[in-house]
């Protein structure tokens, strides 16, 4: 069945609004205070800042890099729980610190908080 251009545009707009609402909903329930507290406790803010690069990329830059990518949650979770080698802004490599919690909800909250920047 063929739809006129106007109907196709309406369908695409509706799909876009749906996707935007789902993205907002997935990061909308972030407990920013708890995420900030855990980030401080885990020394994340030693290398990262929210909106400016330090020794490592800012959380805002990280959120922009991963925006719209289906695997963002999983990749960031791995980065903060599995201590991978990471490249710093100066080109050196270090082992990424592990988050100071093993609670899946705490970890998801921190990752959602980073992605919501």
């Amino acid at each position: 069945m063929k739809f006129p251009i106007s109907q196709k545009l309406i369908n695409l707009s509706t799909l876009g609004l749906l996707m935007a609402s789902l993205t907002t909903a997935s990061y909308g329930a972030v407990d920013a205070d708890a995420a900030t507290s855990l980030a401080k406790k885990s020394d994340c803010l030693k290398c990262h800042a929210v909106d400016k690069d330090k020794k490592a990329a800012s959380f805002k830059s990280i959120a922009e890099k991963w925006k719209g990518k289906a695997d963002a949650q999983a990749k960031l979770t791995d980065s903060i729980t599995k201590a991978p080698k990471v490249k710093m802004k100066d080109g050196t490599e270090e082992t990424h610190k592990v988050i100071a919690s093993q609670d899946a909800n705490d970890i998801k909250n921190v990752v959602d908080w980073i992605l919501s920047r």
Side-chain angles (χ1 to χ4, degrees):
M1 179 174 187
K2 291 187 176 182
F3 292 106
I5 291 287
S6 60
Q7 184 62 44
K8 289 179 183 177
L9 290 173
I10 290 170
N11 290 348
L12 286 173
S13 296
T14 303
L15 180 61
L17 290 171
L18 175 63
M19 295 304 292
S21 69
L22 290 174
T23 301
T24 303
S26 65
Y27 303 132
V30 172
D31 182 342
D33 291 337
T36 304
S37 176
L38 183 54
K40 286 178 183 176
K41 178 181 175 184
S42 303
D43 282 338
C44 300
L45 301 175
K46 180 178 176 186
C47 297
H48 299 278
V50 172
D51 58 0
K52 66 178 182 174
D53 290 344
K54 289 172 74 173
K55 188 174 181 180
S58 69
F59 292 138
K60 182 178 178 181
S61 296
I62 293 167
E64 288 170 3
K65 174 183 174 182
W66 290 100
K67 185 176 183 175
K69 295 184 180 172
D71 60 345
Q73 183 82 13
K75 293 287 188 177
L76 292 179
T77 298
D78 284 352
S79 290
I80 65 174
T81 59
K82 294 184 178 178
K85 289 281 187 187
V86 292
K87 189 167 271 195
M88 307 307 284
K89 297 302 280 180
D90 65 4
T92 60
E93 282 193 359
E94 292 185 12
T95 301
H96 195 276
K97 285 192 165 201
V98 174
I99 195 94
S101 176
Q102 293 184 354
D103 182 277
N105 291 326
D106 290 347
I107 294 166
K108 183 180 183 321
N109 187 57
V110 169
V111 170
D112 286 348
W113 176 71
I114 293 168
L115 292 171
S116 72
R117 303 294 90 207

